[in-house]
């Protein structure tokens, strides 16, 4: 074709022509039109997904309550930046330096004197619920 654009070069012009071919032809469906309709899922039978009446599922892992998740998240924010393995005293000092509440710092100071490997190790020792592994 002689009316190619000189802005892009012949290779890019050919690629752009190929990509817009379906639009130029008109009546033929483009590849994108195949995805306009969503396919029904077997669990959707008898349910209107747009009704919004489905109950909201909890976002807690198995073996934990929503309060456990909130408490673990709060401790995680208090001790962010701790370099593990760390002793309970190091973790408590770090939390105090971060401005953690006195009750939380006291709970961390009462941890048994041993090395903790990660947040889950600390929260488990504090008695905060742990998620059950699925595998």
């Amino acid at each position: 074709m002689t009316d190619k654009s000189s802005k892009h070069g012949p290779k890019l012009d050919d690629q752009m022509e190929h990509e817009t071919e379906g639009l130029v032809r008109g009546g033929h469906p483009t590849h994108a039109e195949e995805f306009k309709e969503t396919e029904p899922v077997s669990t959707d039978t008898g349910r209107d997904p747009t009704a919004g009446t489905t109950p909201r599922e909890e976002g807690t892992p198995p073996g934990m309550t929503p309060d456990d998740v909130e408490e673990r998240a709060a401790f995680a924010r208090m001790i962010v930046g701790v370099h593990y393995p760390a002793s309970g005293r190091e973790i408590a000092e770090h939390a105090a330096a971060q401005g953690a509440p006195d009750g939380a710092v006291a709970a961390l100071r009462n941890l048994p004197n041993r090395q903790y490997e990660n947040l889950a190790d600390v929260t488990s020792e504090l008695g905060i619920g742990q998620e059950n592994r699925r595998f």
Side-chain angles (χ1 to χ4, degrees), residues 3-91:
D3 57 29
K4 300 263 185 193
S5 169
S6 62
K7 290 183 179 181
H8 306 290
K11 186 174 182 179
L12 187 56
D13 284 341
D14 288 341
Q15 181 181 353
M16 290 171 63
E17 181 181 352
H18 176 71
E19 290 174 356
T20 59
E21 185 177 1
L23 297 172
V24 173
R25 286 188 186 190
H28 300 290
T30 63
H31 181 70
E33 289 180 10
E34 295 174 14
F35 301 104
K36 283 186 178 177
E37 295 281 330
T38 57
E39 293 185 18
V41 179
S42 62
T43 58
D44 282 347
T45 55
R47 180 178 76 82
D48 180 11
T50 61
T53 57
T54 57
R56 186 170 171 245
E57 294 181 9
E58 291 288 334
T60 58
M64 293 184 75
T65 66
D67 290 337
D68 289 337
V69 173
E70 288 298 321
E71 192 172 6
R72 182 174 68 174
F75 271 100
R77 286 188 295 274
M78 288 180 237
I79 61 177
V80 68
V82 170
H83 297 285
Y84 295 101
S87 69
R89 185 163 235 15
E90 291 171 329
I91 295 169

